[in-house]
Amino acid sequence: MTQLFDRAVEAARNLPASVQDEIARLVLELAGDEQPAVQLADEEEESFAESLAQADRREFASDAEVRAIWAKYGL
């Protein structure tokens, strides 16, 4: 391991676990060992599949529904 890489790993030890995991994913990707970015729960996978099915059926929110969501969050 190079001195620079060793310094980077040592600096990463002081970061929160979530940041360490993100750095690890990036290093693995650069090394050619790609990992799934996120492991979805069963409910999340089902929700995602339903969202894709709705998009395939061209079932999108109306302009009014989108504006209402934006307004809810002050956008």
Side-chain angles (χ1 to χ4, degrees), residues 8-9 11-30 33-39:
V9 169
R13 291 183 199 283
N14 298 319
L15 298 172
S18 61
V19 176
Q20 290 182 28
D21 285 349
E22 186 61 28
I23 292 169
R25 284 186 195 94
L26 291 170
V27 171
L28 288 169
E29 183 176 340
L30 289 169
D33 184 11
E34 294 184 34
Q35 302 292 310
V38 176
Q39 181 64 39

Side-chain angles (χ1 to χ4, degrees), residues 39-73:
Q39 181 64 39
L40 299 177
D42 290 341
E43 301 83 28
E44 293 168 321
E45 285 195 30
E46 291 168 9
S47 176
F48 191 61
E50 176 56 27
S51 296
L52 290 175
Q54 288 172 342
D56 287 343
R57 294 188 303 266
R58 308 215 32 88
E59 295 175 1
F60 300 105
S62 68
D63 289 346
E65 290 170 319
V66 171
R67 280 192 297 274
I69 292 296
W70 286 354
K72 179 178 177 180
Y73 294 99

Side-chain angles (χ1 to χ4, degrees), residues 1-11:
M1 184 179 314
T2 68
Q3 288 182 344
L4 179 59
F5 192 72
D6 192 40
R7 278 184 39 214
V9 169
E10 199 53 43

